Amino acid sequence: MTRFVYHTGRFGITFVCHSLPWYPRRRPAGIMEQVNRLGSATSPYLLQHKDNPVDWWEWSEEAFAEARRRDVPVLLSVGYAACHWCHVMAHESFEDPAIAALMNERFVSIKVDREERPDVDAVYMEATQAMTGGGGWPMTVFMTPDGAPFFCGTYFPPIAGSGMPSFREVLDAVTESWQQRRTELSEHAQSVIAQLAERGFPPAQPVDGAALAAGASTLRQNFDARNGGFGRAPKFPQPLALEFLLRYVARTGDPDSLAVVTKTAEAMARGGIYDQLAGGFARYSVDAGWVVPHFEKMLYDNAQLLRFYARLHRQTQEPLAERVARETADFLLRELRTGEGGFASALDADTDGVEGLTYVWTPQQLTDLLGEDDGLWAATGLSVTREGTFEGGASTLQLRADPPDAEKWHAIRARMLRARNARPQPARDDKVVTSWNGLAIGALAETAAVLDEPKYAGSAAAAADHVLSVHMVDGRLRRAARAGVAGASAGVLDDYGNLAEGLLALHQVDGNPRWLDSAGGLLDTAMEHFAAGDGGYFDTADDAERLVRRPRELTDNPTPAGISALAGALTTYAALTGSTRHRTLAEAAVAGAAALVAGYPQAAGWTAAIGEALLAGPLQVAVVGPVEERHELERAARLTISPGAVVIAGLPDTPGIPLLADRPLVDGRPAAYVCRGFVCDAPVTDVTALRAALG
């Protein structure tokens, strides 16, 4: 049972909600359909609501014009396709004809996919957090017809309980206030906007060694030494913070930070949050020990964790990290790759409305499938108990130690996976988000380099080609596409930053100058249209749709903030091209979050990781020679763990690749050129000398 605490601010209500069991609702016979405008949406989340009796609008000026014409408030509902509680509120309230009738009569109701419109989500989540002290999805916001929020919340149940009003009571209270206290509400809404606009930013300062050491120290203090990870339940993987610590260890050799990373990596990989049968990670664990996941599988989580485990293996040669990297990469290719070559956003948390239905097991199910002896063997090895670790006596799968008989385990795992695949499966949100595909492209490319696995690089290249071909419209990125058709939402800053970074990682692996050139163009566009004029950047372009506030976020959360994503790409591009201008811009971009790095590193993990790259680099490695002849040198170069390293391989003077210019063979033999801080050593021709040069 999940507990949420809400403080409703202006309405003076504080209430506690305990989650209610999910149950389906069906529209009674004879109820007329309302006008629902979501049938032509590109978002799978919006399409989930196309048959609601609610008169839904997509986010549009037409919707706000309708609210002005009718002189009613706007009800904004924000969620995403894999969100369990979004489904619950939909079944309980949005499918209820009586509640829908109230919404239709008293409001203009707008449904938004937060993944498709992160700008809208960011603006109103900021207001929700300011008014209530917390946030989450589904997010429910009531606003004036000009978009000013005056009452915010998240999930509301259909029946009041535990001090929490029902959704119907909220609708009644908002309606009464709108009719009786319109002036006060409007003044309050404008006050909220003004207060958010006054939010300041910390003074810019370099992300130097002292700031990075302070950030690493804070993470070590927040480390859960018993279970791994940071803090208490619910527990998120936090790959950005782990990536920072991994880079910090590479630069400093700090054993305590390495222990935090390895303990956490193993605990997650062996827990229920990791899919022991098919690979890939769930969104988070509801407990501190990684046992029971929230079962949705997000592309952005798995892309970032794939990159982390691949780099962990490169740095430590840990077999578990290699296995998890391979299995997670294979999960992306098998279950999230779309027919067009991109990667879908997520797998749902629910199956047929029941969370975890696809994934959990009982001892009897294992016995029925495997027989008495093997069923007991599997139950013991996978922590499937009679009492269960999940609901209804079922258990999630944990692999707390490698099975003593690896061959037997592989055979049983294959049988269990076949049986699981015959069960009902969770729905897939198959929209292709630009930013998250950038993360996946970069992760697959880096994994291909670390594991010497060309198929991952090939998949990354196919995704890159798809995104550049479909998502780039009139020289500008669109946020998402579905079934090969770009949506209308404009790309935001993290779309440009993460895609550019992914392309640069891919360029280093396959040597295609197209990716370097495309990344440079994306960075030029970002600097032209998103710059704030003080070294920082807005999250939306200067010619994007105007909202009540232009979002500008510094904090890294589940994914890099737009500004840190851009800073990472600027740093890599500078190292690959020798551009001091791009490096200077990267340093200015991360400087605004230096205080977060030192004091709140869990909210600045990627910023800190980029700080490590700037401090340690640039380390430029160019390997020249024919493919077969340079292979050993190239493999040694790609295994360097320096946070500031870039590696490129190809024939001397390959057009469009600056690091290969004026880098000839040495006495007809392949050679490696190593440069630090734009100062180069003499070329080397054997692996031992290259490893020594790389330190």
Side-chain angles (χ1 to χ4, degrees):
M1 183 169 286
T2 306
R3 181 178 183 271
F4 301 91
V5 179
Y6 294 81
H7 305 280
T8 62
R10 187 67 176 180
F11 284 83
I13 304 171
T14 300
F15 50 88
V16 177
C17 166
H18 292 277
S19 66
L20 301 176
W22 179 89
Y23 60 93
R25 283 184 180 269
R26 291 181 173 84
R27 186 178 296 112
I31 298 294
M32 296 295 292
E33 292 282 345
Q34 300 293 325
V35 179
N36 185 313
R37 297 165 178 81
L38 303 185
S40 59
T42 57
S43 160
Y45 173 63
L46 268 58
L47 290 173
Q48 289 174 353
H49 294 80
K50 67 182 178 63
D51 296 321
N52 293 168
V54 177
D55 185 7
W56 289 117
W57 293 71
E58 292 193 65
W59 180 275
S60 62
E61 171 54 34
E62 290 78 10
F64 287 96
E66 177 68 5
R68 290 191 291 270
R69 185 188 70 78
R70 291 175 52 196
D71 193 28
V72 296
V74 170
L75 191 167
L76 172 66
S77 177
V78 182
Y80 58 104
C83 168
H84 172 72
W85 287 101
C86 300
H87 299 329
V88 171
M89 190 167 178
H91 292 312
E92 292 174 341
S93 295
F94 302 147
E95 294 179 8
D96 184 309
I99 292 178
L102 292 178
M103 295 171 64
N104 296 338
E105 176 187 353
R106 301 175 182 178
F107 305 92
V108 167
S109 299
I110 298 177
K111 178 61 75 174
V112 164
D113 183 342
R114 76 173 181 96
E115 299 169 350
E116 196 172 57
R117 289 301 304 263
D119 52 341
V120 172
D121 178 64
V123 167
Y124 292 102
M125 182 59 72
E126 189 177 29
T128 299
Q129 291 170 337
M131 289 188 192
T132 70
W137 299 275
M139 178 168 61
T140 307
V141 178
F142 295 88
M143 62 182 78
T144 65
D146 61 359
F150 59 81
F151 176 65
C152 302
T154 52
Y155 165 80
F156 292 104
I159 301 172
S162 301
M164 173 184 254
S166 69
F167 187 50
R168 182 192 294 266
E169 289 172 332
V170 171
L171 297 177
D172 289 340
V174 170
T175 300
E176 180 182 5
S177 297
W178 179 258
Q179 294 172 348
Q180 303 298 326
R181 296 189 287 132
R182 175 84 61 89
T183 300
E184 187 179 354
L185 283 184
S186 297
E187 290 176 352
H188 172 58
Q190 294 303 321
S191 174
V192 170
I193 294 173
Q195 290 177 34
L196 294 178
E198 293 172 359
R199 188 186 73 162
F201 293 90
Q205 58 191 70
V207 180
D208 56 16
L212 294 166
S217 176
T218 300
L219 287 174
R220 291 194 301 271
Q221 293 170 23
N222 293 334
F223 174 57
D224 179 352
R226 178 180 179 182
N227 300 299
F230 305 101
R232 296 175 291 183
K235 190 169 283 184
F236 290 78
Q238 301 197 38
L240 299 180
L242 293 171
E243 175 72 26
F244 158 51
L245 284 181
L246 196 60
R247 294 186 181 195
Y248 179 78
V249 171
R251 181 175 61 85
T252 67
D254 178 49
D256 294 333
S257 294
L258 180 60
V260 170
V261 172
T262 55
K263 169 72 174 181
T264 301
E266 180 171 6
M268 292 192 303
R270 296 196 179 282
I273 192 174
Y274 183 67
D275 189 336
Q276 304 297 343
L277 299 184
F281 289 84
R283 181 73 189 90
Y284 63 87
S285 174
V286 302
D287 61 284
W290 309 105
V291 176
V292 178
H294 187 52
F295 288 91
E296 60 189 340
K297 287 182 175 180
M298 310 299 295
L299 173 61
Y300 58 75
D301 286 321
N302 282 282
Q304 293 174 110
L305 286 164
L306 169 59
R307 178 183 60 203
F308 162 68
Y309 276 95
R311 290 184 172 183
L312 178 62
H313 172 65
R314 180 182 64 187
Q315 197 155 322
T316 65
Q317 296 302 299
E318 169 58 51
L320 177 62
E322 178 183 6
R323 174 173 68 80
V324 171
R326 287 188 185 277
E327 291 174 356
T328 302
D330 291 341
F331 159 75
L332 291 180
L333 271 55
R334 184 182 61 252
E335 298 191 37
L336 290 184
R337 187 164 48 177
T338 69
E340 297 78 28
F343 290 93
S345 296
L347 298 181
D348 207 332
D350 300 352
T351 301
D352 294 343
V354 180
E355 191 173 12
L357 179 66
T358 299
Y359 301 104
V360 296
W361 295 78
T362 65
Q364 188 60 52
Q365 288 173 327
L366 292 176
T367 298
D368 292 344
L369 175 66
L370 304 171
E372 193 73 35
D373 292 341
D374 285 351
L376 178 61
W377 189 89
T380 301
L382 292 168
S383 302
V384 177
T385 67
R386 290 187 178 277
E387 298 78 15
T389 56
F390 188 57
E391 299 170 352
S395 294
T396 61
L397 301 184
Q398 305 170 67
L399 193 65
R400 293 301 179 182
D402 289 336
D405 188 337
E407 185 176 348
K408 181 177 182 178
W409 161 237
H410 290 311
I412 285 179
R413 178 174 179 255
R415 291 178 65 186
M416 290 178 65
L417 183 58
R418 286 195 297 271
R420 197 184 80 178
N421 288 340
R423 297 175 176 179
Q425 299 296 305
R428 187 173 81 163
D429 180 343
D430 58 356
K431 71 177 179 296
V432 176
V433 175
T434 302
S435 173
W436 305 349
N437 272 254
L439 293 173
I441 291 165
L444 287 166
E446 289 197 31
T447 304
V450 172
L451 302 184
D452 198 16
E453 184 56 79
K455 72 175 181 179
Y456 299 144
S459 297
D465 181 70
H466 169 70
V467 172
L468 290 174
S469 300
V470 174
H471 295 224
M472 186 72 74
V473 179
D474 297 329
R476 302 288 287 277
L477 284 177
R478 298 289 176 86
R479 172 66 177 178
R482 186 165 182 259
V485 178
S489 299
V492 294
L493 185 60
D494 72 296
D495 292 309
Y496 286 85
N498 284 329
L499 180 57
E501 179 72 8
L503 295 175
L504 294 172
L506 180 58
H507 166 69
Q508 293 178 70
V509 174
D510 70 6
N512 188 337
R514 177 193 177 190
W515 313 132
L516 179 65
D517 182 65
S518 296
L522 292 172
L523 295 177
D524 287 343
T525 300
M527 290 182 288
E528 177 182 356
H529 290 286
F530 293 82
D534 57 2
Y537 294 83
F538 290 102
D539 292 326
T540 55
D542 53 6
D543 55 358
E545 176 188 356
R546 290 290 183 230
L547 304 175
V548 294
R549 172 172 165 77
R550 190 177 180 190
R552 182 181 179 183
E553 186 57 70
L554 293 180
T555 58
D556 299 316
N557 289 302
T559 59
I563 190 169
S564 60
L566 183 68
L570 289 167
T571 301
T572 306
Y573 187 83
L576 286 168
T577 62
S579 170
T580 55
R581 170 174 171 261
H582 286 82
R583 182 178 174 87
T584 299
L585 289 168
E587 292 170 341
V590 298
L596 290 176
V597 168
Y600 305 94
Q602 287 170 259
W606 193 240
T607 303
I610 301 309
E612 287 291 343
L614 288 166
L615 195 60
L619 172 62
Q620 303 162 309
V621 186
V623 181
V624 294
V627 174
E628 294 297 330
E629 297 177 27
R630 72 174 189 247
H631 182 73
E632 289 190 15
L633 277 177
E634 184 178 345
R635 286 293 299 147
R638 297 199 184 283
L639 294 179
T640 179
I641 64 172
S642 171
V646 294
V647 178
I648 196 75
L651 296 175
D653 297 309
T654 299
I657 305 181
L659 288 189
L660 298 180
D662 301 318
R663 301 281 169 79
L665 303 179
V666 175
D667 297 328
R669 300 168 60 192
Y673 292 79
V674 178
C675 304
R676 284 185 177 82
F678 308 110
V679 176
C680 299
D681 299 336
V684 296
T685 58
D686 68 86
V687 170
T688 301
L690 175 57
R691 288 173 178 160
L694 294 174

